[in-house]
Amino acid sequence: MPRWLLRGRPGRGSARGARPGPLFGACLFVVGAGFWWASGGDIRRWRDWRTITGQTAAVTVVGPLAIRLGMLLIVLGVAALGLYHLVDTASYGSWLHSH
């Protein structure tokens, strides 16, 4: 790993870089679920953006978008964290440590 990428990080062996993804994804999921609940059943897709007539109607599009992005971040973050632990526990001579 390049040294400029490791600069300012608290230790090389920590998995702190993988935690904000799932945490931010969970927050985005909760916000999206709140928007979905607030829209009261009038859920629209991204392609329906031009059908919005009022200022508060944007919630009907942003709610499902936030839920989808939140789930994507949760899945990718957990997968990255799992891959980090898989590589971290592998022995030094294994194919996971080859360059």
Side-chain angles (χ1 to χ4, degrees), residues 24-71:
F24 182 69
C27 292
L28 196 61
F29 181 82
V30 169
V31 167
F35 283 166
W36 192 306
W37 174 77
S39 64
D42 184 22
I43 301 299
R44 300 178 188 197
R45 296 180 186 205
W46 187 254
R47 67 179 180 208
D48 298 332
W49 185 261
R50 296 178 191 207
T51 64
I52 294 175
T53 56
Q55 288 181 333
T56 58
V59 171
T60 62
V61 175
V62 174
L65 178 69
I67 286 179
R68 289 178 181 129
L69 286 177
M71 285 305 296

Side-chain angles (χ1 to χ4, degrees):
M1 191 173 242
R3 290 183 188 212
W4 59 269
L5 194 58
L6 294 173
R7 212 176 300 147
R9 293 197 177 179
R12 289 185 174 180
S14 67
R16 291 185 183 197
R19 289 185 188 155
L23 183 63
F24 182 69
C27 292
L28 196 61
F29 181 82
V30 169
V31 167
F35 283 166
W36 192 306
W37 174 77
S39 64
D42 184 22
I43 301 299
R44 300 178 188 197
R45 296 180 186 205
W46 187 254
R47 67 179 180 208
D48 298 332
W49 185 261
R50 296 178 191 207
T51 64
I52 294 175
T53 56
Q55 288 181 333
T56 58
V59 171
T60 62
V61 175
V62 174
L65 178 69
I67 286 179
R68 289 178 181 129
L69 286 177
M71 285 305 296
L72 178 70
L73 286 175
I74 289 171
V75 168
L76 289 179
V78 169
L81 191 61
L83 186 61
Y84 167 79
H85 286 296
L86 177 71
V87 172
D88 192 42
T89 58
S91 63
Y92 182 70
S94 70
W95 63 273
L96 289 173
H97 282 282
S98 65
H99 295 284

